[in-house]
Amino acid sequence: VRITKPGVYQTFASAETTVLKGTGAQFAASTAMSLLLRDGVYLELGPGVIIENTDPTRTIVGFASMQSGGIIGGWLRSTWTPASSDAGSGIVAWCTDDPNDDPNSNLLFEDLRISGVGSYGLGMQFGFFKNNRYRNLWIHDTGADAVDHKTRPMLDGTQASGISLDGLLAERYGRRTGIVASAAIDIRGPVMAQNITVREAGYTSQGNVGIRLSAGIYSGADIRQPSAGAVVTNVDLDAGDPTIAGTKGIVLLDSGGVVDGGRVKNFDIGVSEEGSSSGYGSNAGARVANITVEAARTTSFNVGDARTSLENCYAVGQNETFEEDQGNLANAQTVFVSPRDFDAAAVQVYNNGTLLTLT
């Protein structure tokens, strides 16, 4: 399906009555989404084409049990606002059969912008994923994760494979009231991701995360592969406001995986290894290499497990700069007030040879 004429195309409730399934969920497509992609369908949107969802309680595009298909180009947006509890997503994967055994494979999402949704931008939730490709995604102003990737094995034990993401810009995610610890990308399974850019991740009291390598979950029918085998390279993560507590750049939840190359800036904690409160890790440790943490509010690297390795990593403090002609220091000034939190015992500031009191 190809739409080439620029303009805003509004969507309403889908008339599709196909029953969709997740783990513990079953409903008609018409109750939860505006568009449902069928197996083999590619939606191609030309420059200037916007698909606008008029009901923010609904997901804009859903798909189920696909062995090929996807969305190329365009802008998917909804009318959600951060003060609203509406929780529709941009794109969500469902199944028409067993959600642990049905395919959602050989998919392509490319050159796509998603915004204004109350839950996930891209929610790869159910189905067996293989050879899925995500390229050049811009996801912003979402209520929860920009990308949430829950990889599941087939019932015969076959593991997901061939999943790649190349190019993600995530901005201002995790904004719905009551949602905490949203991530630009939350990874389960052997996802190969590169060129990840995060901006304005900090959101007061939300505790947002840049990249999270999550643990596996094995709870009845809810089976999710851990992030063992995931590799994330070339990251540029910036929380924005450096004064907000609780933000974390890279989070390792007791699962194997690799993050290699890039910068983490203005988060409360730069890199944090943590025990998973839900699920089980792979017991394979994790590896963080060639990462520079800049201007962490409290901690650059919080790593305690002997199985986790830090290689060629650096911590760089925030530089406070000022010039006299901007009025930052008066001739008789005895107190220097910093615009950000810092350890006063570790810093000394002098004005014409006089040590100032720091606050």
Side-chain angles (χ1 to χ4, degrees), residues 162-234:
I163 303 165
S164 64
L165 186 156
D166 186 355
L168 168 67
L169 171 59
E171 301 176 297
R172 299 180 301 278
Y173 51 89
R175 302 186 67 195
R176 192 170 88 233
T177 301
I179 296 294
V180 298
S182 293
I185 178 169
D186 188 330
I187 294 176
R188 284 187 169 93
V191 177
M192 302 290 106
Q194 63 181 348
N195 303 322
I196 309 300
T197 302
V198 172
R199 294 291 181 265
E200 297 184 80
Y203 190 64
T204 302
S205 302
Q206 301 290 84
N208 286 346
V209 171
I211 296 169
R212 181 164 51 230
L213 301 185
S214 285
I217 287 181
Y218 308 93
S219 177
D222 191 5
I223 302 172
R224 311 177 198 176
Q225 293 178 228
S227 56
V231 177
V232 183
T233 60
N234 193 26

Side-chain angles (χ1 to χ4, degrees), residues 217-350:
I217 287 181
Y218 308 93
S219 177
D222 191 5
I223 302 172
R224 311 177 198 176
Q225 293 178 228
S227 56
V231 177
V232 183
T233 60
N234 193 26
V235 305
D236 185 7
L237 317 180
D238 192 336
D241 187 344
T243 67
I244 296 176
T247 58
K248 300 171 184 177
I250 298 170
V251 173
L252 314 171
L253 293 179
D254 285 347
S255 293
V258 175
V259 181
D260 189 346
R263 180 186 73 156
V264 177
K265 183 177 181 180
N266 289 329
F267 287 85
D268 190 357
I269 300 176
V271 176
S272 184
E273 176 196 70
E274 304 173 6
S276 177
S277 60
S278 62
Y280 305 88
S282 66
N283 295 320
R287 175 174 169 262
V288 178
N290 303 303
I291 294 293
T292 297
V293 175
E294 298 181 12
R297 179 177 178 273
T298 60
T299 306
S300 293
F301 296 91
N302 174 39
V303 177
D305 193 314
R307 298 168 302 181
T308 296
S309 65
L310 297 178
E311 303 173 13
N312 200 37
C313 292
Y314 297 88
V316 179
Q318 173 73 17
N319 293 321
E320 301 292 355
T321 61
F322 52 87
E323 297 179 7
E324 288 187 31
D325 60 6
Q326 293 180 344
N328 297 80
L329 289 178
N331 287 335
Q333 184 172 334
T334 60
V335 175
F336 173 66
V337 180
S338 171
R340 59 176 289 130
D341 294 337
F342 67 100
D343 182 1
V347 177
Q348 291 181 326
V349 175
Y350 291 84

Side-chain angles (χ1 to χ4, degrees), residues 16-70:
E16 179 58 63
T17 58
T18 298
V19 174
L20 304 181
K21 299 178 180 180
T23 53
Q26 183 169 314
F27 54 88
S30 58
T31 66
M33 61 195 61
S34 295
L35 298 175
L36 177 66
L37 289 190
R38 290 289 196 175
D39 184 21
V41 173
Y42 288 88
L43 180 60
E44 297 184 22
L45 306 176
V49 174
I50 301 171
I51 302 297
E52 183 178 76
N53 182 24
T54 60
D55 182 353
T57 67
R58 298 177 179 275
T59 289
I60 303 172
V61 178
F63 59 93
S65 304
M66 295 180 69
Q67 299 193 51
S68 66

